[in-house]
Amino acid sequence: MALSDEIAERLLTSIIDGHYPPGTLLPVEDELAQEYSASRLTLREAVKVLRSQNIVRIHRGRGTYVNAPDQWTALEPMIRAEARRPGGTVSEKLIEARELIEAGSARLAAVRRTEDDLTELAELLEEMKETAGAGDTDAFVDADIAFHQVIMRASGNAFVPLLFQPFGRLLVDGRRETSAVPQIRENAIAHHQKVLDALRAGDPEQARQAMEGHMAQTADDLRTHVLKSDG
């Protein structure tokens, strides 16, 4: 990693950690260069990286200011910033994003899936049932995520699976957060069965509705069993 990129990453971490909240004027160039033991040119390049993602903005003659995360144009930094917010808003927003993408994926998969896809989905659903009964949350989450990945792949659109890659760890943590509750695991299994039945029937509208129902149940489970207990 280039030194300028490393400094940009360290600056971003300071911003996400709240050291430089939205609207804050960053220290002057000389001060930051001294803090990070870098030349002014290297520091300038680091700030340029953040500016390209709209994490900061430059006002001529006034300095460099931090923008709010909802103005940032890079997904990974925004996810990191959202993950630091309290109150479960990240999990709820993630479910909303999943619904937008996965309902459409299920609709496409209903007419494009193969028999091999259906077989794999059935096997993963059985694995979810077995691991739920054994109380193995990690294995349940692995099977759950794999089930959805098969559907996205079966959509026949190579861009769809890539849309979730930036969420990475956040997606896994969100599933683990809800799947740790036995009742939520039972609800998930029932809705996965409905999705699989719709895909077997080759009915795009039924598949879309089944996935939307699954997402709605997931959001309700989060509010009822996880966020409520946290409060």
Side-chain angles (χ1 to χ4, degrees), residues 61-188:
R62 293 166 55 191
T64 302
Y65 291 80
V66 177
N67 289 326
D70 60 7
Q71 297 176 305
W72 298 358
T73 56
L75 184 57
E76 185 176 347
M78 186 172 66
I79 290 173
R80 287 174 55 189
E82 287 289 331
R84 295 300 299 269
R85 293 188 181 186
T89 58
V90 177
S91 296
E92 292 182 283
K93 288 180 179 179
L94 186 57
I95 292 171
E96 290 176 353
R98 287 181 58 197
E99 180 181 349
L100 290 172
I101 299 171
E102 295 203 51
S105 297
R107 182 178 61 81
L108 291 174
V111 295
R112 296 177 178 175
R113 88 292 184 276
T114 65
E115 288 302 315
D116 286 343
D117 292 329
L118 293 176
T119 298
E120 188 173 0
L121 289 170
E123 291 173 351
L124 288 168
L125 182 55
E126 284 304 310
E127 188 174 340
M128 289 176 66
K129 293 176 181 178
E130 292 173 6
T131 54
D136 189 340
T137 300
D138 287 342
F140 181 89
V141 169
D142 288 344
D144 183 358
I145 290 177
F147 185 98
H148 287 267
Q149 287 174 336
V150 171
I151 294 174
M152 286 187 280
R153 188 178 68 241
S155 72
N157 188 316
F159 293 106
V160 172
L162 299 177
L163 294 174
F164 276 108
Q165 281 192 1
F167 292 98
R169 187 76 246 164
L170 191 61
L171 186 62
V172 176
D173 290 345
R175 294 292 229 295
R176 185 175 289 115
E177 181 181 38
T178 53
S179 298
V181 181
Q183 183 60 55
I184 294 180
R185 292 198 295 269
E186 291 182 20
N187 293 341

Side-chain angles (χ1 to χ4, degrees), residues 14-28:
S14 294
I15 291 170
I16 291 174
D17 287 346
H19 188 65
Y20 300 119
T24 297
L25 175 65
L26 290 181
V28 296

Side-chain angles (χ1 to χ4, degrees), residues 33-54:
Q34 183 175 1
E35 178 181 349
Y36 292 109
S37 302
S39 67
R40 292 179 60 184
L41 178 60
T42 299
L43 192 282
R44 200 171 297 138
E45 288 298 316
V47 171
K48 188 182 295 185
V49 171
L50 298 182
R51 186 187 182 191
S52 71
Q53 301 171 338
N54 209 40

